[in-house]
Amino acid sequence: MTAPAIREDLRPWQQALRAQFPIVTGHPELAYLDSAATAQKPQAVLDAVQRYLTTSNANAARGTYTWANRTTELVERTRERVARFLGDRQPERSAVHFTSGTTEGLRTIARDWLPGFLRDGDEIVVPDADHQANIAPWREVQRLLAREGTHVRVVPMPYQSGSGDYDHRALAERAGPRTRFVATTHVHHVYGGDMNVQRIRRAVGPDAVICLDAAQSVGHLPVSVAELDVDFVVFSGHKALALPGSGAVWARQERGPAFTPGGWSGTPNTVGIASLEAALDWLDAAGVERVEEWTVALAARLTEGLRHLDAYEILGCPLSLAADSTVQRRQGIVTLRHRAIDSGDLGFILFSHGFMVRSDHHCQGDAGEKTGSVRVSLHVYNTVEEIDRLLSVLASLQ
């Protein structure tokens, strides 16, 4: 077995970046492989949080003194920073609203925007094998509207058998003139594949609103709203190296009414916003393209090793496992099962060897996997040596 090559010129770059994560370097005996759940924080983000709390901590848009003005400027500056990070070429036409994360962002769109957009007889597409956060809000809207006499039909997103990828041809057959809203995911949180959302637009036509769950892509690979013809992008800061409780909704503001969260706007999570600005700055300086290249290469190394171990089943597209595969690679997420060891037990065994992984159903919807699994999810601080050591331990469990 020949392991996939890792670009040697990226190793010094990666080592320099890994050294900037105190929790990682402070525990060299452990390998953190759960970044799809939450990512670790570089020193620059920790410093930004400390600096804000010790120099400018105040409420935003509610005072005229210096600290309050600085905080207000921080919030507005970070809105612009998010739009720029997402490649928005027309930020004057779009909007950025801060949330506690992807789940709240999707629920805000569902609660405050979607009911006013839909009419009786309209259809919405829901991806029932994706994360529950991108399923439950849309079905709640359907039930809410039905109680008010507006009947909306839910069209289940079709999937390709065995791969977990969207079936764009089947979607084109299911979509019609009443298909008004499509919920979709950029990178699948279980199968690790880029879901090719650019094909969604061709499948559903030019008028449908597309909402993109980018929880597993923002901060992991380049995301360009200029290239993705979607109307909403929602992401969590804590998966993009910022603090928990931070996140954002980007709204294109072209199809349908303008997006404005309902109700009174309370105190924003200003320290989370400070961490998000610092995280996006750090990612830009590191080079998100190289972050993606590194994590995709590690995932390829892992899947190439796993496919030679008969005791394991790897979830997702089977054609993407081999090192010489010409199909799309996995975006730093590899999910597997042992054919004889329960996934929960396997998680405990791996932790006894120093590996921190996710082992459960991963909050997947009812159309997803019925049996638990172990998910390995990677970021820039992970190393080739960690992957090789993990493969050695997994091989010993054959």
Side-chain angles (χ1 to χ4, degrees), residues 90-112:
Q90 297 178 306
E92 69 282 355
R93 300 177 61 180
S94 61
V96 172
H97 296 273
F98 294 114
T99 70
S100 65
T102 304
T103 299
E104 187 199 352
L106 294 171
R107 290 186 65 193
T108 300
I109 296 168
R111 180 188 64 233
D112 297 339

Side-chain angles (χ1 to χ4, degrees), residues 191-306:
Y191 306 123
D194 183 323
M195 303 300 279
N196 294 306
V197 296
Q198 67 275 13
R199 299 180 185 174
I200 297 288
R201 175 60 65 198
R202 295 199 293 271
V204 301
D207 299 324
V209 168
I210 300 176
C211 178
L212 183 65
D213 173 351
Q216 301 298 346
S217 57
V218 171
H220 299 261
L221 65 149
V223 178
S224 171
V225 297
E227 298 174 5
L228 298 171
D229 190 6
V230 298
D231 301 276
F232 294 100
V233 172
V234 190
F235 70 94
S236 299
H238 75 98
K239 298 179 191 290
L241 310 183
L243 291 187
S246 62
V249 173
W250 174 89
R252 187 178 293 277
Q253 310 284 59
E254 288 185 5
R255 299 176 180 91
F259 171 68
T260 303
W264 179 255
S265 178
T267 300
N269 178 8
T270 53
V271 68
I273 292 169
S275 75
L276 182 58
E277 178 187 43
L280 299 184
D281 287 345
W282 190 93
L283 285 163
D284 264 347
V288 183
E289 297 85 356
R290 286 187 291 179
V291 171
E292 178 189 22
E293 183 172 357
W294 182 260
T295 56
V296 167
L298 292 185
R301 193 178 187 92
L302 178 57
T303 55
E304 169 69 14
L306 281 170

Side-chain angles (χ1 to χ4, degrees), residues 25-362:
T25 57
H27 298 277
E29 76 283 4
L30 299 175
Y32 183 76
L33 303 174
D34 196 21
S35 293
T38 196
Q40 299 304 333
K41 321 307 175 194
Q43 188 64 52
V45 170
L46 304 178
D47 289 345
V49 168
Q50 179 77 4
R51 184 167 55 252
Y52 170 74
L53 290 175
T54 56
T55 63
S56 304
N57 183 37
N59 213 326
R62 286 167 172 80
T64 57
Y65 52 91
T66 304
W67 294 356
N69 290 339
R70 288 177 185 167
T71 299
T72 302
E73 292 169 2
L74 165 71
V75 172
E76 295 309 313
R77 186 174 68 241
T78 308
R79 289 189 205 278
E80 298 173 359
R81 189 70 183 87
V82 168
R84 190 165 69 253
F85 190 79
L86 295 179
D88 186 354
R89 296 172 185 168
Q90 297 178 306
E92 69 282 355
R93 300 177 61 180
S94 61
V96 172
H97 296 273
F98 294 114
T99 70
S100 65
T102 304
T103 299
E104 187 199 352
L106 294 171
R107 290 186 65 193
T108 300
I109 296 168
R111 180 188 64 233
D112 297 339
W113 184 85
L114 190 55
F117 177 66
L118 296 175
R119 298 292 181 265
D120 192 65
D122 284 346
E123 299 174 347
I124 61 175
V125 179
V126 175
D128 287 330
D130 291 6
H131 197 286
Q132 284 282 5
N134 201 19
I135 302 170
W138 320 121
R139 293 192 171 272
E140 289 172 5
V141 167
Q142 181 195 32
R143 292 191 292 268
L144 171 66
L145 290 174
R147 289 197 294 268
E148 299 175 352
T150 300
H151 298 283
V152 173
R153 177 172 174 256
V154 168
V155 177
M157 175 73 78
Y159 293 83
Q160 296 178 20
S161 177
S163 71
D165 295 330
Y166 295 149
D167 189 333
H168 300 90
R169 293 180 181 177
L171 177 61
E173 295 172 357
R174 294 185 186 185
R178 299 306 299 270
T179 303
R180 300 270 283 154
F181 180 87
V182 181
T184 184
T185 299
H186 198 179
V187 172
H188 200 281
H189 73 293
V190 175
Y191 306 123
D194 183 323
M195 303 300 279
N196 294 306
V197 296
Q198 67 275 13
R199 299 180 185 174
I200 297 288
R201 175 60 65 198
R202 295 199 293 271
V204 301
D207 299 324
V209 168
I210 300 176
C211 178
L212 183 65
D213 173 351
Q216 301 298 346
S217 57
V218 171
H220 299 261
L221 65 149
V223 178
S224 171
V225 297
E227 298 174 5
L228 298 171
D229 190 6
V230 298
D231 301 276
F232 294 100
V233 172
V234 190
F235 70 94
S236 299
H238 75 98
K239 298 179 191 290
L241 310 183
L243 291 187
S246 62
V249 173
W250 174 89
R252 187 178 293 277
Q253 310 284 59
E254 288 185 5
R255 299 176 180 91
F259 171 68
T260 303
W264 179 255
S265 178
T267 300
N269 178 8
T270 53
V271 68
I273 292 169
S275 75
L276 182 58
E277 178 187 43
L280 299 184
D281 287 345
W282 190 93
L283 285 163
D284 264 347
V288 183
E289 297 85 356
R290 286 187 291 179
V291 171
E292 178 189 22
E293 183 172 357
W294 182 260
T295 56
V296 167
L298 292 185
R301 193 178 187 92
L302 178 57
T303 55
E304 169 69 14
L306 281 170
R307 78 186 187 101
H308 296 282
L309 302 178
D310 294 338
Y312 296 93
E313 172 192 5
I314 309 173
L315 307 188
C317 178
L319 298 178
S320 67
L321 303 183
D324 58 354
S325 171
T326 58
V327 306
Q328 176 174 271
R329 304 303 319 182
R330 292 163 192 252
Q331 295 289 336
I333 296 175
V334 179
T335 305
L336 58 107
R337 291 194 193 99
H338 194 288
R339 301 187 191 278
I341 302 174
D342 175 79
S343 62
D345 293 338
L346 181 57
F348 281 116
I349 293 170
L350 291 177
F351 182 64
S352 73
H353 290 274
F355 299 102
M356 293 179 280
V357 297
R358 174 84 172 263
S359 53
D360 57 16
H361 287 80
H362 317 295

